[in-house]
């Protein structure tokens, strides 16, 4: 089964994150506000180590940075800057960590958890992991930064990419290949088809090289020349890391058209919040299986269950269920 495309957290990307001064300043403010003198801090997904260094400067007693990749990078930066004391790095998958992995095995007072990827299909699991880390590794009443992740949904007409057009072009390839090679290459076409919508979720290529500072990462959005918004932004889910337990995404999202148009899919807005203020806002996109004509005032309900999680494709909820769908398939 194809999976949602994770972001390759290479040194290149960490450099781009550091150069994103807007995001850097937001997280610097949030971490500095959250640290109290003497705190034991866990920096989950430390990357370049930036948040660990900020926590240390803000007065943390000890900081442990954990990442499954490139921990040598954070270590070298720490050594380079004479920050060895009170700071350590562990290369591990966060999911595998127990309190006994740490010395001393004592609960953390502050959990820094910037492990989200601008993809709701991956980040639902990342939020579940943040709850698990909080409950497994932190002291009672520990603070988590970001404090919450909020998702909103906006119906739109996306013009720079269309699922149906790409599928139609893909269908053509089998005939072209048969003509050229006398062989049936349908399996490769099918494999490409399966992951199609999953690969078209993000507005920008995460590995695009942009070195001139400042790059903007605190607000990654689709260019408005490529999308026409047809509904307001509807609340979909908020994962509040102060809540007693993790609840996943709801099984459906409800939208109300504010203008007439051809609704091709949904833009998800993901906000990492600290004290209610967005630190990092990103958009991603899920296409409808088939576009729908809407007029102002139309209401529709889209299923956000297993099919959406597996394919990134949305369908209107079958008729007969509560919440009438007044839209018209095109
Ligand atoms: C968005 S980057 C954040 C880097 C840094 N904390 C910052 O804010 O600049 C997310 C980091 O989390 C790491 N990460 C994600 N999931 C992880 C896991 N399950 N175990 C360990 N590291 C993980 C990635 O390798 C990546 O370096």
């Amino acid at each position: 089964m194809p999976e949602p495309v994770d972001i390759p957290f290479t040194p290149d990307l960490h450099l781009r994150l550091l150069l994103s001064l807007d995001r850097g300043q937001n997280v610097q403010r949030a971490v500095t506000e959250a640290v109290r003198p003497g705190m034991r801090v866990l920096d989950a997904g430390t990357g370049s180590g930036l948040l660990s260094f900020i926590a240390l400067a803000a007065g943390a007693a000890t900081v442990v940075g954990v990442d499954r990749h490139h921990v040598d990078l954070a270590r070298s930066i720490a050594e380079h800057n004479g920050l060895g004391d009170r700071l350590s790095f562990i290369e591990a998958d966060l999911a595998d960590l127990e309190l006994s992995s740490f010395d001393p095995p004592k609960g953390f007072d502050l959990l820094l958890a910037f492990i989200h990827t601008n993809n709701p299909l991956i980040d639902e699991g990342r939020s579940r992991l943040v709850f698990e880390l909080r409950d497994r590794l932190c002291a009672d009443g520990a603070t988590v930064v970001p404090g919450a992740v909020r998702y909103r949904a906006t119906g739109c007409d996306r013009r720079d990419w269309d699922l149906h057009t790409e599928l139609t072009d893909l269908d053509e390839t089998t005939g072209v290949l048969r003509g050229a090679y006398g062989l049936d290459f349908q399996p490769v076409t099918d494999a490409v088809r399966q992951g199609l919508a999953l690969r078209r979720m993000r507005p920008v290529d995460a590995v695009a090289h942009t070195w001139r500072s400042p790059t903007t990462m605190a607000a990654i959005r689709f260019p408005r020349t490529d999308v026409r918004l047809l509904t307001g932004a509807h609340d979909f889910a908020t994962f509040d890391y102060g809540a007693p337990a993790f609840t996943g995404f709801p099984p459906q999202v409800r939208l109300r058209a504010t203008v007439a148009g051809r609704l091709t899919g949904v833009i998800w807005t993901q906000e990492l919040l600290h004290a209610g203020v967005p630190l990092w806002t990103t958009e991603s996109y899920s296409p409808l299986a088939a576009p729908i004509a809407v007029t102002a005032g139309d209401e529709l309900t889209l299923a956000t269950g297993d099919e959406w999680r597996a394919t990134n494709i949305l369908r209107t909820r079958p008729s007969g269920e509560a919440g009438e769908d007044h839209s018209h398939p095109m």
Side-chain angles (χ1 to χ4, degrees):
M1 269 305 263
E3 297 202 343
V5 185
D6 201 349
I7 291 182
F9 282 102
T10 58
D12 298 31
L13 184 51
H14 288 304
L15 180 54
R16 281 188 65 215
L17 280 171
L18 290 166
L19 286 169
S20 305
L21 303 185
D22 50 354
R23 175 186 183 273
Q25 279 158 8
N26 286 353
V27 297
Q28 186 160 18
R29 179 178 49 77
V31 173
T32 304
E33 274 173 21
V35 171
R36 299 279 170 272
M39 272 184 162
R40 233 171 106 63
V41 178
L42 174 61
D43 178 12
T46 189
S48 65
L50 174 68
L51 274 49
S52 295
F53 308 140
I54 295 169
L56 211 57
T62 53
V63 182
V64 183
V66 178
D67 208 293
R68 56 186 166 192
H69 302 302
H70 307 299
V71 164
D72 284 348
L73 192 67
R75 254 188 220 124
S76 311
I77 297 169
E79 276 167 27
H80 220 70
N81 290 277
L83 297 173
D85 280 2
R86 297 154 46 220
L87 175 62
S88 58
F89 292 103
I90 298 176
E91 185 159 291
D93 194 306
L94 292 161
D96 299 335
L97 291 179
E98 299 293 338
L99 212 43
S100 57
S101 317
F102 300 95
D103 182 19
K106 186 167 169 272
F108 291 92
D109 308 302
L110 174 61
L111 171 60
L112 306 175
F114 285 81
I115 55 174
H116 308 83
T117 66
N118 178 26
N119 183 327
L121 300 178
I122 296 176
D123 288 346
E124 186 184 30
R126 296 284 160 95
S127 281
R128 184 190 295 112
L129 179 59
V130 174
F131 274 91
E132 287 168 8
L133 295 173
R134 181 199 72 177
D135 295 345
R136 205 165 62 228
L137 305 177
C138 293
D140 285 349
T143 305
V144 183
V145 178
V149 183
R150 178 167 64 195
Y151 293 90
R152 286 183 294 165
T154 308
C156 72
D157 179 2
R158 183 168 174 186
R159 283 121 185 254
D160 67 319
W161 176 71
D162 176 51
L163 178 64
H164 178 72
T165 304
E166 193 160 350
L167 289 174
T168 306
D169 284 346
L170 255 183
D171 286 344
E172 288 285 312
T173 60
T174 309
V176 171
L177 295 178
R178 187 179 291 111
Y181 304 109
L183 293 168
D184 185 349
F185 282 94
Q186 186 74 37
V188 71
T189 315
D190 288 345
V192 172
R193 167 191 287 273
Q194 275 187 3
L196 206 61
L198 291 167
R199 291 193 296 276
R200 296 284 189 264
M201 286 192 80
R202 295 190 178 91
V204 291
D205 176 2
V207 293
H209 294 184
T210 317
W211 306 122
R212 191 162 295 275
S213 175
T215 60
T216 46
M217 296 280 276
I220 304 175
R221 296 184 188 277
F222 288 95
R224 268 30 188 175
T225 44
D226 293 343
V227 293
R228 178 165 177 257
L229 304 184
L230 300 176
T231 76
H234 292 258
D235 288 339
F236 176 51
T238 297
F239 300 137
D240 179 348
Y241 294 136
F246 174 71
T247 52
F249 288 135
Q252 61 194 23
V253 60
R254 288 207 170 91
L255 303 175
R256 186 166 199 278
T258 49
V259 66
R262 183 189 72 125
L263 197 142
T264 65
V266 165
I267 287 180
W268 307 102
T269 306
Q270 181 195 58
E271 293 168 310
L272 305 194
L273 302 174
H274 169 68
V277 177
L279 301 174
W280 186 2
T281 305
T282 52
E283 289 181 343
S284 57
Y285 177 76
S286 298
L288 286 176
I292 291 174
V294 292
T295 56
D298 280 357
E299 294 186 359
L300 63 156
T301 303
L302 306 174
T304 50
D306 290 345
E307 183 185 356
W308 173 61
R309 284 189 178 80
T311 63
N312 186 36
I313 294 175
L314 293 165
R315 286 183 199 278
T316 49
R317 228 176 40 171
S319 57
E321 294 181 30
E324 263 181 78
D325 190 344
H326 297 292
S327 53
H328 321 282
M330 289 182 85

